[in-house]
Amino acid sequence: MIPFVDLKAQYNSIKTEIDAAVFKALDSTQFVLGSEVVALEAEFSHYCDAEYGIAVNTGTSALHLALLAAGISPGDEVITTPFTFVATVAAICYTGATPVFVDIDPISYTIDVRQIEAAITPRTKAIVPVHLYGQPADMDPILDIARRYGLTVIEDAAQAHRAEYKGQRVGSIGDLGCFSFYPGKNLGAYGEGGMIVTNNPEYAHKIEMLRDWGQKRKYHHVLKGYNYRMDGLQGAILRVKLRHLDKWTQARRAIAAEYDQLLAKADVITPKVMPYSHHAYHIYAVRSQSRDALQQQLHEQGIQTGIHYPIPVHLQPAYADLGYQLGDFPHSEQAAQEVLSLPMFAELSPEQIEIVSDAICERIPCLT
């Protein structure tokens, strides 16, 4: 069996460091927030070239609080893409605002910047570009549009730890950046976790209160807040793993390059890295018009794969009330029918990469 992701292999590679950090955190008894979380906030924000980092319990909470900090409220509209994990859209709905979708660019899978202006109305207050699969959205045109219309830009960087846009780390490019530390992410906790980074002290201060019941200090509630605090254990674990993120990202990029080479003559479309992008390869997704058959064949050969994502958000029953229909976003809909995520993790061996690639060429004969 070749797993889609191997968290046990990663843990074994850093077990001594992780175990020591966990026992230290247990001994401190700082189980909610605490010194380990404070240190993680400083280290991760510095890693992202941002002034402030605020740790929360999930990436979804990060998006929710970033939107609230930016003043998003009922009656507002927020532009994003339907080809994303549902949390991007759910967080917008949590604020009472309305998600407004723009289709993806079919090459990068990120929001098509050429279509954004047409989606802006007097109610539009923010744009949430998604750095899907670890590929940054084209941020310069987005920022230009945002400046001209007075909009806030909130980066959904949940899959893009260590990705770069024109040499700048994602998360610190827009007004706010939101990360997920779900276990399978490039930087994953041993449970749930998230982070907002920003260079705006007012946003940071507001988010710090909102995540902790709106308290300015204990039992003094200035805002109607939430229980979105990070656990101390996750802070300790993530601090250890952050020290390895550069090495793991280099490994992912090397694995992607090997896949690119081995699949170059196969009848699948491999990921395209945009010229402005330094891809983090949270997901290595190929495209095939016979995706389901290919996935089944790989499964029969003991190769785990994933589909990110099989149904765009605008076609999900939960969001039917937004009023979109099949055909509204053709590039998102086609990608959802064709993408297949191959095994991708830093510990993936050259032999495993070759087995996966050979299996694809066997199912879909390589072109001569």
Side-chain angles (χ1 to χ4, degrees), residues 11 56 83 97 122 127 145 156 174 190 192 225 240 254 265 280:
Y11 169 61
V56 292
F83 194 53
I127 306 171
I145 293 168
D156 183 342
Y190 290 170
E192 297 274 10
V240 171
K265 294 183 179 180

Side-chain angles (χ1 to χ4, degrees), residues 218-274:
K218 194 164 186 176
Y219 303 134
H220 290 72
H221 302 272
V222 178
L223 302 171
K224 292 179 180 178
Y226 304 85
N227 184 10
Y228 284 175
R229 300 169 296 196
M230 176 178 280
D231 292 344
L233 282 170
Q234 303 306 338
I237 290 162
L238 287 164
R239 289 187 68 204
V240 171
K241 297 182 79 173
L242 181 59
R243 297 196 290 266
H244 296 270
L245 184 55
D246 281 353
K247 176 183 66 178
W248 291 337
T249 305
Q250 290 172 2
R252 286 175 176 271
R253 289 171 177 155
I255 291 165
E258 186 70 11
Y259 271 139
D260 287 347
Q261 180 177 350
L262 292 173
L263 296 174
K265 294 183 179 180
D267 190 20
V268 295
I269 300 173
T270 54
K272 170 71 172 177
V273 180
M274 306 306 287

Side-chain angles (χ1 to χ4, degrees), residues 10-74:
Q10 185 189 75
Y11 169 61
N12 287 337
S13 73
I14 55 173
K15 184 179 188 301
T16 301
E17 294 174 75
I18 289 288
D19 290 356
V22 167
F23 284 123
K24 180 183 175 184
L26 291 173
D27 188 61
S28 76
T29 68
Q30 295 180 2
F31 299 126
V32 179
L33 298 177
S35 60
E36 291 291 340
V37 173
V38 170
L40 173 68
E41 291 172 331
E43 292 163 5
F44 188 75
S45 59
H46 177 74
Y47 189 83
C48 295
D49 297 323
E51 289 291 326
Y52 306 97
I54 308 94
V56 292
N57 60 342
T58 68
T60 308
S61 299
L63 287 163
H64 184 197
L65 296 190
L67 289 157
L68 291 177
I72 306 304
S73 60

Side-chain angles (χ1 to χ4, degrees), residues 55-283:
V56 292
N57 60 342
T58 68
T60 308
S61 299
L63 287 163
H64 184 197
L65 296 190
L67 289 157
L68 291 177
I72 306 304
S73 60
D76 294 338
E77 293 178 351
V78 177
I79 293 172
T80 192
T81 166
F83 194 53
T84 182
F85 182 58
V86 70
T88 310
V89 179
I92 296 169
C93 294
Y94 292 167
T95 69
T98 300
V100 174
F101 293 128
V102 167
D103 207 356
I104 58 168
D105 172 83
I107 305 300
S108 68
Y109 304 142
T110 62
I111 193 167
D112 187 341
V113 297
R114 298 165 298 182
Q115 298 186 43
I116 292 176
E117 279 195 84
I120 294 174
T121 75
R123 297 170 59 192
T124 306
K125 295 296 188 295
I127 306 171
V128 180
V130 181
H131 304 314
L132 195 75
Y133 299 164
Q135 170 120 265
D138 192 359
M139 292 300 295
D140 279 352
I142 294 170
L143 293 172
D144 176 65
I145 293 168
R147 282 192 294 266
R148 288 190 281 112
Y149 287 89
L151 308 178
T152 305
V153 176
I154 301 170
E155 299 174 67
D156 183 342
Q159 300 181 355
H161 316 73
R162 191 54 177 85
E164 295 182 2
Y165 175 81
K166 296 184 178 180
Q168 187 174 354
R169 300 267 172 98
V170 301
S172 62
I173 303 170
D175 297 289
L176 301 116
C178 301
F179 292 85
S180 167
F181 299 134
Y182 186 77
K185 293 294 196 293
N186 294 25
L187 179 62
Y190 290 170
E192 297 274 10
M195 181 83 73
I196 305 107
V197 298
T198 184
N199 292 312
N200 186 313
E202 294 182 6
Y203 288 159
H205 181 60
K206 187 173 183 180
I207 292 168
E208 283 179 347
M209 289 191 290
L210 284 170
R211 72 167 174 188
D212 189 15
W213 293 114
Q215 298 180 110
K216 190 171 185 178
R217 63 182 192 276
K218 194 164 186 176
Y219 303 134
H220 290 72
H221 302 272
V222 178
L223 302 171
K224 292 179 180 178
Y226 304 85
N227 184 10
Y228 284 175
R229 300 169 296 196
M230 176 178 280
D231 292 344
L233 282 170
Q234 303 306 338
I237 290 162
L238 287 164
R239 289 187 68 204
V240 171
K241 297 182 79 173
L242 181 59
R243 297 196 290 266
H244 296 270
L245 184 55
D246 281 353
K247 176 183 66 178
W248 291 337
T249 305
Q250 290 172 2
R252 286 175 176 271
R253 289 171 177 155
I255 291 165
E258 186 70 11
Y259 271 139
D260 287 347
Q261 180 177 350
L262 292 173
L263 296 174
K265 294 183 179 180
D267 190 20
V268 295
I269 300 173
T270 54
K272 170 71 172 177
V273 180
M274 306 306 287
Y276 50 72
S277 170
H278 207 188
H279 207 305
Y281 289 106
H282 172 58
I283 297 293

Side-chain angles (χ1 to χ4, degrees), residues 273-296:
V273 180
M274 306 306 287
Y276 50 72
S277 170
H278 207 188
H279 207 305
Y281 289 106
H282 172 58
I283 297 293
Y284 185 94
V286 299
R287 289 182 70 159
S288 169
Q289 292 183 356
S290 56
R291 187 267 312 281
D292 294 344
L294 174 59
Q295 184 180 40
Q296 179 62 30

